[in-house]
């Protein structure tokens, strides 16, 4: 050990070698993360057309953002979507993890089935659901008609704001249920089996074990999954861009879609940057509050 | 270990709960596989039987997928996987085996990429790549994709290097190896599982990524597969050719599904290595 670390000429040479090996990481992180992070803030203070020279105009991009009615409706919609998706995805994934937690016959196959949608890209999955929910070739409308639940032609992705939102939620549950389940499974495996055995010996019921032992011990994983779902939902883009095209009547236009529209439809990169900064600040605030609450509780 | 069979004191209610659970699990599993299976079926279904007409339309339609788009996707995947492997292996080696000034700071900075969702800085990356002469460039896109793989990949490789016994390296030094030859001749073999996991994640994300190429690529000539397939839907003003779209989905999903089934262990290792623990 001492021969490898330590100071002196050998240690200095090793420090230089370490620095050299870390330099590609340093260059990439600074060029494509630190600089753009600063740049997006700098851009938000300018009138920054897609083509042409930027001129400083602070704080116009921010004041314009407060008066933007599409941005306001997109914020409201994104929050609503997050509030719908978060509990559904969270509970579905947790239930799936608890169902396949123990190795029984067939568990491996079932886990693979749950994880399979993760291999498909989210954009591909959105295109898949476009066909799946279509009246032309999709089986969903027909099956529901036969069950007597719907009557004839239904336009799931563009018929009404409610069904467009519902279609997107089902897509997200399918695509990310297995991913979140995997995170829960990793957390569940970290709980020592002795704890369960002791509880069982004490005569605890399944329900008691779940609420008094499993869930409290799973808290760090619960926090991680919650953070991932909330962050992912607030940044939702693909499903609305591809599946609902933000419609009908902009009712499913999300915040990141507004960023895209400002930049590449209105050619106004400055206001797109300002919306990005506001979004980033919002995410940071939510995560700080969430972590703060969970820390305090776990003490 | 969790007992495979129920304890002797299992009550009848527990057994019936077990049955209910089995039915629920099976039904859920079928629901999860169904959309993918349906997509494959719908892509080959045509009037009067089955065939590849939808695939022909996918590759010959006016706004359809070109062989060039497949080439673009393969290039981006190759650059992203190789770039991620090189940077993360050297970085993981540095963080796991050497002490140098600023090491912990740089490591934390790399992990901090996770806290800033890249959707919020892509507008700036678009401008930055323009300044670097990499506007509308597959190389530029790959550099961005590599950067966003780094938090996971560097963490994974650092853990892999830390798990290798020091003696292995020491014996290489005794044989007269420098730190770099020790890496290439001895250590790379020892961290191979980590390399497989990192490559798999990099490939899947580069092959499937939609938002970054949408922002960073502007001409249809540089489109990757997901952009080209989605463009078929957006560019068609009349009726949408759903069967052709599903053939695009199946075409894109098939390599990923096969890779995933073969390398599922490596995929799951990416999570159990602690790389995603809060």
């Amino acid at each position: 050990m001492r021969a490898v670390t330590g100071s002196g000429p050998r240690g200095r040479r090793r420090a230089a070698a370490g620095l050299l090996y870390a330099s590609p990481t340093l260059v990439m992180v600074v060029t494509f993360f630190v600089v753009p992070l600063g740049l997006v803030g700098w851009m938000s203070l300018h009138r920054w057309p897609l083509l042409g020279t930027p001129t400083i105009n602070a704080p116009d991009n921010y004041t314009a953002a407060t008066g933007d009615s599409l941005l306001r409706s997109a914020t409201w919609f994104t929050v609503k979507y997050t509030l719908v998706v978060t509990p559904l995805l969270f509970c579905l994934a947790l239930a799936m993890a608890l169902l396949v937690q123990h190795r029984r016959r067939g568990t491996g196959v079932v886990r693979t089935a749950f994880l399979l949608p993760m291999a498909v890209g989210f954009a591909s999955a959105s295109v898949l659901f476009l066909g799946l929910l279509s009246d032309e070739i999709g089986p969903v409308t027909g099956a529901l008609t036969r069950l007597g639940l719907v009557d004839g032609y239904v336009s799931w992705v563009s018929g009404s704001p409610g069904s467009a939102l519902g279609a997107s939620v089902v897509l997200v549950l399918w695509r990310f249920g297995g991913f979140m389940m995997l995170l829960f499974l990793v957390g569940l495996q970290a709980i020592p089996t002795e704890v369960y055995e002791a509880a069982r010996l004490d005569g605890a019921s399944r329900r008691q074990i779940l609420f008094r032992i499993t869930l409290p011990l799973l808290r760090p994983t619960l926090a991680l999954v919650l953070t991932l779902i909330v962050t992912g939902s607030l940044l939702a883009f693909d499903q609305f861009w591809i599946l609902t095209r933000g419609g009908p009547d902009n009712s499913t236009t999300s915040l990141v879609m507004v960023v895209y529209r400002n930049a590449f439809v209105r050619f106004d990169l400055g206001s797109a940057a300002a919306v990005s900064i506001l979004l980033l600040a919002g995410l940071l605030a939510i995560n700080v509050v969430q972590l703060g609450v969970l820390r305090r509780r776990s003490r | 270990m969790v007992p495979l069979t129920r304890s002797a004191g299992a009550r009848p209610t527990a057994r019936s709960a077990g049955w209910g659970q089995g039915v629920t699990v099976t039904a859920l599993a079928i629901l999860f596989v169904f959309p993918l299976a349906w997509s494959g079926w719908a892509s080959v279904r045509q009037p009067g039987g089955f065939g590849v007409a939808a695939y022909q339309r996918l590759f010959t339609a006016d706004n359809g997928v070109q062989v060039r788009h497949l080439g673009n996707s393969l290039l981006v995947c190759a650059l992203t996987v190789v770039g991620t492997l090189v940077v993360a292996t050297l970085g993981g080696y540095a963080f796991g085996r050497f002490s140098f000034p600023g090491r912990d700071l740089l490591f934390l900075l790399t992990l901090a990429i996770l806290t800033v969702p890249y959707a919020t800085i892509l507008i700036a990356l678009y401008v930055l790549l323009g300044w670097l002469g990499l506007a509308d460039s597959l190389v530029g896109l790959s550099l961005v994709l590599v950067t966003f793989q780094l938090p996971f990949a560097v963490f994974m490789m650092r853990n892999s290097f830390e798990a290798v016994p020091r003696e292995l390296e020491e014996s290489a030094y005794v044989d007269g190896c420098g730190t770099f030859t020790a890496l290439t001749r001895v250590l790379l073999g020892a961290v191979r599982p980590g390399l497989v996991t990192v490559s798999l994640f990099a490939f899947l994300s580069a092959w499937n990524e939609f938002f970054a190429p949408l922002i960073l690529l502007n001409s249809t000539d540089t489109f990757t597969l997901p952009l080209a397939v989605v463009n078929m839907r957006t560019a068609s003003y009349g009726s949408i050719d759903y069967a052709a779209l599903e053939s695009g989905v199946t075409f894109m999903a098939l390599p990923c599904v096969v890779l995933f089934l073969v390398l599922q262990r490596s995929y799951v290792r990416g999570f159990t290595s602690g790389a995603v623990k809060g």
Side-chain angles (χ1 to χ4, degrees), chain A residues 66-119:
Chain A
T66 55
D68 185 339
S69 64
L70 182 62
L71 178 63
R72 209 175 306 144
S73 73
T75 308
W76 169 232
F77 169 72
T78 309
V79 169
K80 188 172 78 175
Y81 166 76
T82 304
L83 290 177
V84 172
V85 158
T86 306
L88 287 176
L89 183 53
F90 188 89
C91 293
L92 174 73
L94 183 59
M96 282 158 61
L98 291 171
L99 281 171
V100 298
Q101 180 190 2
H102 303 299
R103 281 224 164 266
R104 296 203 190 89
R105 204 141 55 94
T107 307
V109 180
V110 170
R111 281 188 193 176
T112 306
F114 287 169
L115 292 175
L116 210 52
M118 292 166 59

Side-chain angles (χ1 to χ4, degrees), chain A residues 155-165 244-253:
Chain A
S155 178
W156 294 105
V157 299
S158 55
S160 74
S163 74
L165 175 62
T244 68
R245 308 275 313 132
D249 284 338
N250 287 329
S251 66
T252 58
T253 298

Side-chain angles (χ1 to χ4, degrees), chain A residues 101-287:
Chain A
Q101 180 190 2
H102 303 299
R103 281 224 164 266
R104 296 203 190 89
R105 204 141 55 94
T107 307
V109 180
V110 170
R111 281 188 193 176
T112 306
F114 287 169
L115 292 175
L116 210 52
M118 292 166 59
V120 185
F122 191 35
S124 306
S126 304
V127 177
L128 197 167
F129 268 61
L130 194 64
L132 191 73
L133 298 173
S134 73
D135 275 312
E136 281 86 344
I137 64 167
V140 174
T141 306
L144 293 180
T145 308
R146 230 163 291 144
L147 290 172
L149 292 174
V150 296
D151 188 17
Y153 182 84
V154 183
S155 178
W156 294 105
V157 299
S158 55
S160 74
S163 74
L165 175 62
S168 311
V169 170
V170 172
L171 162 67
V172 169
L173 292 180
W174 176 73
R175 173 60 176 68
F176 292 102
F179 179 80
M180 300 300 167
M181 174 202 75
L182 190 54
L183 297 180
F184 280 131
L185 277 179
V186 173
L188 285 170
Q189 270 167 9
I191 301 175
T193 35
E194 291 80 18
V195 183
Y196 290 116
E197 313 226 317
R200 225 170 276 145
L201 283 178
D202 288 347
S205 70
R206 284 174 144 214
R207 181 180 299 260
Q208 282 173 325
I209 290 179
L210 176 64
F211 285 102
R212 300 261 173 85
I213 295 173
T214 313
L215 291 183
L217 287 176
L218 204 57
R219 184 172 286 139
T221 312
L222 300 178
L224 171 71
V225 172
L226 200 62
T227 310
L228 284 178
I229 298 179
V230 169
T231 309
S233 307
L234 291 174
L235 295 169
F237 178 82
D238 293 18
Q239 64 270 49
F240 302 120
W241 180 260
I242 298 171
L243 198 60
T244 68
R245 308 275 313 132
D249 284 338
N250 287 329
S251 66
T252 58
T253 298
S254 69
L255 277 170
V256 179
M257 283 174 83
V258 173
V259 173
Y260 183 91
R261 177 205 61 160
N262 285 0
F264 298 105
V265 178
R266 294 184 164 178
F267 306 121
D268 180 0
L269 295 185
S271 73
V275 176
S276 297
I277 289 286
L278 292 172
L279 187 53
L280 200 55
L283 285 172
L284 208 67
I286 289 171
N287 284 338

Side-chain angles (χ1 to χ4, degrees), chain B residues 11-261:
Chain B
R11 290 150 295 174
T13 49
R15 187 165 299 161
S16 61
W19 269 102
Q21 192 170 319
V23 172
T24 315
V25 166
T26 314
L28 262 178
I30 291 171
L31 270 180
F32 268 78
V33 175
F34 175 76
L36 263 182
W38 173 81
S39 176
W41 181 83
S43 73
V44 293
R45 179 111 182 98
Q46 59 191 53
F50 297 93
V52 293
Y55 288 86
Q56 279 165 353
R57 292 203 302 279
L58 174 73
F59 283 102
T60 53
D62 279 343
N63 295 306
V65 176
Q66 302 162 21
V67 177
R68 177 202 292 266
H69 297 141
L70 173 62
N72 292 343
S73 269
L74 291 174
L75 179 67
V76 170
C77 285
L79 289 175
T80 305
V81 170
V82 172
T84 306
L85 278 179
V86 170
V87 177
T89 303
L90 292 175
Y93 189 36
F95 292 124
R97 274 299 197 254
F98 296 84
S99 55
F100 52 90
R103 182 183 70 165
D104 297 341
L105 185 69
L106 180 58
F107 187 65
L108 276 180
L109 193 63
T110 310
L111 292 190
I113 295 177
L114 284 179
T115 64
V116 178
Y118 71 85
T120 55
I121 61 170
L122 266 173
I123 296 295
L125 281 166
Y126 173 83
V127 171
L128 185 71
L129 288 175
W131 290 343
L132 295 174
L134 292 170
D136 197 18
S137 145
L138 296 170
V139 176
L141 169 64
S142 307
L143 285 169
V144 171
L145 292 176
V146 168
T147 306
F148 288 100
Q149 283 299 308
L150 283 185
F152 167 74
V154 167
F155 191 96
M156 183 87 204
M157 290 320 296
R158 187 196 70 155
N159 285 2
S160 303
F161 279 109
E162 275 179 349
V164 177
R166 297 259 178 192
E167 291 75 24
L168 206 62
E169 215 174 333
E170 294 287 351
S171 64
Y173 293 149
V174 170
D175 290 344
C177 288
T179 52
F180 189 71
T181 33
L183 171 69
T184 52
R185 290 211 194 138
V186 181
L187 290 171
L188 276 188
V191 297
R192 193 181 297 143
L195 295 174
V196 173
T197 302
V198 166
S199 310
L200 181 65
F201 274 73
F203 173 83
L204 287 178
S205 98
W207 180 260
N208 289 324
E209 180 57 43
F210 178 72
F211 192 55
L214 180 72
I215 300 278
L216 300 177
L217 307 174
N218 336 79
S219 57
T220 40
D221 281 355
T222 56
F223 274 10
T224 53
L225 278 178
L227 285 185
V229 171
V230 170
N231 193 44
M232 264 187 94
R233 180 243 210 281
T234 14
S236 62
Y237 287 101
S239 62
I240 302 174
D241 187 346
Y242 288 104
L245 284 182
E246 292 306 328
S247 68
V249 170
T250 305
F251 187 78
M252 286 191 287
L254 208 57
C256 299
V257 168
V258 170
L259 260 183
F260 183 77
L261 290 179

